C-alpha cells in the first residue's frame, strides 16, 4: 500500500522548531535593493524593454544578493555578516561540537553553484570560509562532483560513515532520495526553494 508523506517518521527538531538565522543587510546591499526597487518601477511602468530588464532577472539578482553580494560584484570585500558567512559559522560550530560522533551536515544551495570559468560562487566561498574556521577540507564535498552513479554511491557512503561530514548540493541534486541520515545532525537551507515542486 502507498505510504502518505504525513505517515513518515521525521526526526525531532532541536527545541521543537526550525532555527531561522537572520543576517543584517550591509549598506551596499541596501543601496542595491533600492536600485532594484527603482528597476521594478521602471519594469512595471514599461519604461524598459523586457529583453533588457524584467522581473525574473530582478528576482534572481535579489536572491543572489541576499546570500552574498560578491556573486554580483567580485571586487567587494568579504563581509562577515552575509548569509553565506553566517551559514559557514553555524556549520563550523556544529562540526566542532560533534567531532567525537563524526556527525554530518547537509547544505542546500540552489544558486551560485560552481562554474568551470573560475568566477565567484557560493560553494567555493562556503568551503573556503568553513576551512578558515577549522573544518577539514577533505571532509567537505559537493554533490555536483559525483558525476557518475558510482561516484555518487561512493560519496553517499562516505557521508553515511561520517568520512565526509559536510555535503553541499542543490535541491535538484539532493532534494529527493538522498539516503544519508545515519549521522545527520543538521540541515541548512542557504537559499530556500520557493517553487512548490521543490
Amino acid at each position: 500500500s502507498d505510504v502518505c508523506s504525513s505517515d513518515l517518521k521525521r526526526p525531532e527538531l532541536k527545541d521543537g522548531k526550525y532555527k531561522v538565522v537572520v543576517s543584517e543587510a550591509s549598506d551596499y546591499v541596501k543601496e542595491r535593493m533600492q536600485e532594484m526597487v527603482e528597476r521594478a518601477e521602471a519594469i512595471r511602468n514599461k519604461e524598459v524593454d523586457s529583453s533588457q530588464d524584467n522581473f525574473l532577472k530582478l528576482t534572481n539578482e535579489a536572491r543572489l544578493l541576499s546570500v552574498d553580494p560578491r556573486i554580483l560584484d567580485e571586487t567587494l570585500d568579504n563581509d562577515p555578516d552575509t548569509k553565506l558567512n553566517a551559514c559557514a559559522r553555524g556549520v563550523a560550530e556544529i562540526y566542532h561540537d560533534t567531532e567525537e560522533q563524526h556527525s554530518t551536515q547537509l547544505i542546500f544551495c540552489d544558486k551560485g553553484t560552481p562554474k568551470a570559468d573560475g568566477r565567484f560562487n557560493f560553494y567555493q566561498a562556503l568551503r573556503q570560509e568553513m576551512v578558515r574556521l577549522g573544518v577539514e577540507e577533505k571532509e567537505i564535498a559537493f554533490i555536483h562532483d559525483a558525476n557518475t552513479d558510482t561516484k555518487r554511491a561512493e560519496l553517499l557512503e562516505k557521508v553515511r560513515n561520517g568520512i565526509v561530514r559536510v555535503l553541499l548540493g542543490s535541491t535538484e541534486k539532493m532534494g529527493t532520495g538522498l539516503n544519508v541520515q545515519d549521522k545527520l545532525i543538521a540541515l541548512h537551507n542557504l537559499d530556500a526553494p520557493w517553487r512548490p515542486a521543490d
Side-chain angles (χ1 to χ4, degrees):
S1 71
D2 291 337
V3 176
C4 179
S5 64
S6 63
D7 296 335
L8 294 174
K9 172 106 174 83
R10 294 183 179 186
E12 294 292 322
L13 295 173
K14 185 177 181 182
D15 302 324
K17 59 186 174 196
Y18 295 101
K19 180 179 179 182
V20 177
V21 178
V22 178
S23 297
E24 288 296 320
S26 67
D27 289 340
Y28 175 84
V29 169
K30 289 176 185 175
E31 289 170 15
R32 288 297 299 264
M33 290 304 296
Q34 184 56 44
E35 289 172 17
M36 290 180 179
V37 168
E38 293 165 9
R39 285 171 57 195
E41 283 298 313
I43 294 166
R44 183 177 295 112
N45 296 330
K46 300 188 185 328
E47 296 170 7
V48 60
D49 187 270
S50 63
S51 65
Q52 298 299 311
D53 204 4
N54 56 65
F55 284 115
L56 186 59
K57 180 179 179 187
L58 191 63
T59 302
N60 184 53
E61 287 179 22
R63 289 182 70 202
L64 293 170
L65 182 67
S66 73
V67 175
D68 193 309
R70 291 177 293 169
I71 199 152
L72 299 177
D73 183 351
E74 292 188 43
T75 65
L76 294 173
D77 290 334
N78 184 5
D79 176 357
D81 296 324
T82 64
K83 281 171 54 174
L84 184 142
N85 286 327
C87 179
R89 281 191 302 276
V91 171
E93 182 180 332
I94 293 168
Y95 172 90
H96 294 299
D97 288 349
T98 62
E99 180 71 36
E100 192 173 312
Q101 303 91 334
H102 288 275
S103 296
T104 59
Q105 301 177 68
L106 301 179
I107 303 173
F108 283 87
C109 184
D110 292 346
K111 296 287 184 185
T113 56
K115 306 285 187 272
D117 61 9
R119 286 183 297 157
F120 177 90
N121 65 77
F122 295 152
Y123 284 58
Q124 296 288 355
L126 268 168
R127 178 165 45 199
Q128 183 177 354
E129 187 63 15
M130 288 185 292
V131 168
R132 190 187 72 74
L133 295 167
V135 177
E136 290 287 333
E137 187 168 4
K138 67 183 180 189
E139 295 181 355
I140 303 169
F142 303 160
I143 193 76
H144 302 78
D145 292 339
N147 53 13
T148 67
D149 289 343
T150 301
K151 287 181 182 178
R152 182 177 169 95
E154 289 170 358
L155 174 58
L156 299 184
E157 186 63 26
K158 287 179 180 178
V159 175
R160 281 191 286 276
N161 291 318
I163 296 167
V164 168
R165 296 189 51 211
V166 180
L167 181 62
L168 287 84
S170 63
T171 303
E172 180 183 348
K173 301 251 185 209
M174 294 194 326
T176 305
L178 197 73
N179 185 12
V180 293
Q181 69 275 11
D182 304 60
K183 291 183 169 284
L184 189 64
I185 192 74
L187 186 149
H188 309 268
N189 282 297
L190 190 57
D191 58 348
W194 53 277
R195 296 180 304 183
D198 294 337

